[in-house]
């Protein structure tokens, strides 16, 4: 068989796979294949389709961030690395790449405190499970022993330990809530408007990669405050919230 025909057949099979790919995993695999070929633009498109299909894994966002970084899309890369960290805070590569992107582009990315570093050793889901366990630990340690006619300092001390851990779990969940309220400018010169409309007066602009905190939402707009003190309404597809689809 002619080599050109074999290559044509392979290309046809690949086209068919692309045509019928419907699940997030399938799109992710296609994105990974394109990434290995060095076609970052195609990989980025497949990763975006994977997210639209319900993909929400740390690996997906990490790979998407790498593709964005290769294409020079620093805002999207930063956002995807943050999403990867949100899904798997122990994915050190995502955190390292996120900080490298910020450092290389002069983006102010605050370093976590020692307490925050402990918080980001677990995901928000894991902290929620820990809080649930500690809550019932407090309840059982305080109220179950008396039902058996037992009540001593050991049970009270155990309840105090559970309560202290529960308090830290609540703090961790609050930290994660604040982290999820971050938005990143994924295009350059993002307009901050005085009202949440297309024709609202522009009060200022923010550069690609700028980080802001989401204060309010209204339809396709968010009201955000940047680290430099700028405030205004911006479109979600330009100043993209961390907890929104990529």
């Amino acid at each position: 068989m002619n080599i050109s025909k074999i290559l044509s057949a392979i290309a046809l099979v690949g086209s068919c796979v692309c045509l019928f790919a419907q699940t997030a995993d399938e799109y992710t695999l296609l994105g990974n294949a394109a990434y290995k070929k060095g076609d970052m633009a195609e990989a980025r498109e497949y990763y975006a389709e994977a997210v639209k299909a319900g993909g929400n894994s740390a690996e997906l966002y990490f790979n998407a961030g790498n593709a964005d970084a290769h294409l020079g899309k620093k805002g999207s890369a930063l956002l995807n690395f943050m999403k990867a960290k949100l899904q798997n805070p122990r994915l050190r590569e995502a955190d390292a790449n996120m900080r490298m992107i910020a450092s290389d582009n002069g983006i102010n990315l605050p370093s976590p405190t020692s307490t925050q570093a402990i918080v980001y050793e677990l995901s928000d889901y894991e902290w929620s499970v820990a809080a649930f366990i500690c809550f019932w630990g407090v309840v059982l340690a305080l109220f179950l022993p008396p039902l058996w006619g037992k009540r001593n300092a050991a049970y009270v001390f155990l309840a105090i330990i559970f309560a202290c851990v529960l308090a830290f779990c609540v703090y961790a969940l609050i930290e994660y809530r604040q982290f999820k309220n971050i938005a990143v400018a994924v295009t350059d010169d993002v307009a901050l408007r005085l009202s949440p409309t297309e024709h609202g007066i522009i009060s200022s602009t923010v550069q690609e990669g700028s980080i802001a905190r989401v204060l309010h939402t209204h339809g396709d707009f968010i009201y955000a405050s940047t680290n430099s003190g700028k405030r205004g309404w911006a479109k979600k597809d330009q100043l993209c919230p961390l907890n929104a689809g990529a």
Side-chain angles (χ1 to χ4, degrees), residues 210-226:
S210 297
I211 297 173
R213 188 163 299 281
V214 180
L215 303 177
H216 306 288
T217 61
H218 181 84
D220 293 332
F221 285 81
I222 61 170
Y223 186 74
S225 173
T226 68

Side-chain angles (χ1 to χ4, degrees), residues 29-51:
L29 290 174
L30 289 170
N32 292 344
Y35 187 95
K36 290 178 180 178
K37 288 191 304 181
D39 192 340
M40 299 303 163
E42 184 179 39
R44 185 173 189 266
E45 290 178 4
Y46 282 131
Y47 291 141
E49 290 297 325
V51 172

Side-chain angles (χ1 to χ4, degrees), residues 64-128:
N66 284 331
D68 286 329
H70 280 291
L71 293 170
K73 298 182 180 295
K74 57 186 179 184
S76 295
L78 188 61
L79 179 67
N80 278 311
F81 289 138
M82 285 184 171
K83 288 185 175 184
K85 179 180 178 179
L86 182 62
Q87 295 302 317
N88 181 5
R90 294 182 292 279
L91 184 61
R92 308 301 183 195
E93 295 87 347
D95 190 70
N97 287 5
M98 178 179 71
R99 297 194 175 280
M100 182 175 65
I101 289 288
S103 176
D104 291 346
N105 294 279
I107 300 170
N108 181 21
L109 194 64
S111 298
T113 64
S114 57
T115 305
Q116 289 172 330
I118 296 173
V119 168
Y120 294 131
E121 283 299 312
L122 299 179
S123 67
D124 59 338
Y125 172 76
E126 291 167 331
W127 282 116
S128 297

Side-chain angles (χ1 to χ4, degrees), residues 147-165:
L147 296 179
W148 296 338
K150 299 178 181 180
R151 191 181 188 100
N152 56 45
Y155 290 112
V156 175
F157 179 74
L158 184 61
I160 293 173
I161 295 298
F162 275 123
C164 290
V165 178

